[in-house]
Amino acid sequence: MAGKTLYDKLWESHVVHEEADGTCLIYIDRHLVHEVTSPQAFEGLRMAGRKPWRNSSIVANPDHNTPTKDWDKGIEDPISRLQVETLDNNIKEFGALVYFPFKNKDQGIIHVIGPENGTTLPGMTVVCGDSHTSTHGAFGALAHGIGTSEVEHVLATQTLVAKKSKSMLVRVDGKLGKGVTAKDVALAIIGKIGTAGGTGYAIEFGGEVIRGLSMEGRMTLCNMAIEAGARAGLVAPDEKTAAYLEGRLHAPKGDNWTKAVAYWNTLSSDADATFDTVVVLNGAEIAPQVTWGTSPEQVLPIGSTVPDPAKEADATKRTSIENALKYMGLTANTPIEQIQLDKIFIGSCTNSRIEDLRAAASVAKGKKVASNIKLAMVVPGSGQVKRQAEAEGLDKIFIEAGFEWREPGCSMCLAMNSDRLSPGERCASTSNRNFEGRQGPGGRTHLVSPEMAAAAAIAGHFVDVRSA
Amino acid sequence: MKAFTTLNGLVCPLDRANVDTDAIIPKQFLKSIKRSGFGPYLFDEWRYTNYGEPGMDCSTRPLNPDFVLNQPRYQGAQVLLARDNFGCGSSREHAPWAIEDQGFRVIIAPSFADIFFNNCYKNGILPIVASAEQVDTLFKECFANEGYKLNVDLEAQTVTTPSGQSFSFDITPTRKHNLLNGLDEIGLTLQHADKIKAFEEKHQAAQPWLFA
């Protein structure tokens, strides 16, 4: 019998019940909750007279609507405020293991606070009404984004109705060059397999490059698995995983720690496991990436030119390129390095952790944001990240260079609060989606790594951070 | 959930690949704490020429005449015809809520994003995966024939065109049963409450740190 993949092991250890057609009830260990996708779920629970099955599985925190400056003024938009207050009230009524209300010192992006408080652990199933739940797969946890009906289902039953996905191994061999990051690896993978390449799959990331990534880097990579269409991304836990978790607030302690680590050591794909699909990349060939279009798959290495739709044979793809160029205000064959920028956003659940901020700061140190940049902002992922960055003096580096140093939250990744692009504005962003209107109606988003965003802020246009 | 059995519905062709849920329902409308009322904001940035805000009266907003949903021949459409990777991006269930609220009950595309696909079933919407060639044919026929309708039969798992051409589609027996009968999934799952409890006890004994 063939060996098991990591995904097989995680799946099989959580099946509560299986129907004849393979539809399963999967037990959920951790339920992350934010204000946008939960109010209707709690309301449904209330209307049916139900209670959460296990409220100690819940880790909650508002993040999408919260402002990133002038916290003393509260949340000015009354609709946003009501949504955040609704979460406060729901948690008060139904309970949670962890709740950081707006302005709490540890509040942050849900996918940042989960891991940093040790509430995401290897071997867990983790869900959240948020597609970027795939982030937590970095720990060897099976982590899915779910819809609001499913949020209610998990609240009421501690299970999710699901069918097993196919398995894909994305192996990145060799070593990354200087200035090439987990974000570039993620974008290069999406460029290769497409935004639907992972649809129906759980992707395990393996190979020398992945083993070499820090936990922050692995989170960035798994975060972007959803942009490749996969609901889940996975990295097998190892000594880096344990080192990251040890001593964190809700990580196991004492005897439980020893037992947990012993169990986590079994969580990797067997040598003879087979995958439905295997994709291989050579890390040494990956250059810093920049998206030029309105889908994350519309990405190219820095040094390229914007594509020419006339050279595309497939009609649907040609139309997509034409639509994207029109929306992005770009002319075919323009060198990416000549694209001038208006705003810079460093943050989001993809790239707002301490390592991301250190990397961006190392590029910005002693330099100044270019005069054509109207706003360059750094939004740390959580209160903990912010304090750590300030203890290291990163805030001063950013402020001296001309960046704004903000309070934690999702911010201009999706522009639900007041941080947004104006129509036609062009942004180098460390977030995860360059969809039309994502960062504000008419806004134009180019996805890059923190280093590339910082280098672009200094130059005023894209540059190759390796020679910046 | 609303049951779905059969539908003979007008088709609206949305000829774009990778339509994401940000396009289906932009973020500003996600501030609502309700499940209903999203229909008028469906595809808001493509549909109107001004910026939409929650609570706006959409009947007086300037329409984009080029957008397919605004064309007179597609008014009242119940079947949305789409291209690859429909519903990608954010997990927001507001997307199927808006689609359903607008009056669509069926979406046909060569492929769907996973989370969106799942969310459809929770809201009485039938997402049908058809081959790229089949979808291409439907687009052509739909553009060529005003009043183009498709007949969708969930029990038989078939889609029939006005000329009588028919193709079948896949759906898991569990989803089919739940959709045909409009069943409440939570109620069904809670019939397994003893099994969930038994699993939980075993799981806790093996990994007590998960329950700390």
Side-chain angles (χ1 to χ4, degrees), chain B residues 127-140:
Chain B
I128 295 177
V129 178
S131 70
E133 296 76 40
Q134 186 64 64
V135 169
D136 227 25
T137 305
L138 296 179
F139 266 102
K140 281 182 189 138

Side-chain angles (χ1 to χ4, degrees), chain A residues 173-336:
Chain A
D173 295 331
K175 286 198 173 9
L176 295 179
K178 181 179 159 284
V180 181
T181 69
K183 181 64 164 290
D184 302 303
V185 174
L187 288 169
I189 291 168
I190 295 163
K192 187 178 171 84
I193 70 173
T195 48
T199 303
Y201 289 93
I203 298 180
E204 179 176 345
F205 298 101
E208 194 184 343
V209 162
I210 310 304
R211 296 264 69 89
L213 292 177
S214 65
M215 289 313 295
E216 285 84 353
R218 294 174 188 182
M219 283 189 257
T220 299
L221 182 62
C222 289
N223 173 277
M224 296 286 286
I226 182 68
E227 310 315 330
R231 285 180 90 180
L234 290 167
V235 174
D238 58 13
E239 64 287 350
K240 283 185 187 171
T241 319
Y244 176 96
L245 288 169
E246 192 167 16
R248 293 193 184 261
L249 188 61
H250 290 280
K253 306 281 185 311
D255 193 32
N256 268 343
W257 172 258
T258 313
K259 284 184 193 157
V261 173
Y263 174 62
W264 299 345
N265 286 336
T266 68
L267 295 176
S268 58
S269 290
D270 297 332
D272 57 343
T274 55
F275 291 83
D276 296 303
T277 302
V278 177
V279 175
V280 180
L281 283 83
N282 179 353
E285 290 173 2
I286 299 174
Q289 306 280 308
V290 182
T291 64
W292 54 268
T294 54
S295 166
E297 70 186 15
Q298 292 176 321
V299 63
L300 284 167
I302 185 80
S304 311
T305 55
V306 171
D308 187 344
K311 292 177 189 156
E312 175 59 56
D314 180 85
T316 304
K317 282 186 191 153
R318 188 166 56 244
T319 311
S320 292
I321 296 174
E322 285 165 354
N323 286 341
L325 292 184
K326 187 171 171 217
Y327 181 84
M328 293 296 289
L330 291 173
T331 311
N333 305 311
T334 305
I336 285 177

Side-chain angles (χ1 to χ4, degrees), chain A residues 27 77 148-149 153 414 437, chain B residues 27 31 34 93 174 189 200:
Chain A
Y27 187 81
D77 176 352
T148 295
S149 295
H153 191 278
L414 88 165
Chain B
K27 83 277 294 177
K31 295 176 185 178
K34 299 197 177 98
E93 198 164 319
T174 303
T189 296
E200 196 166 50

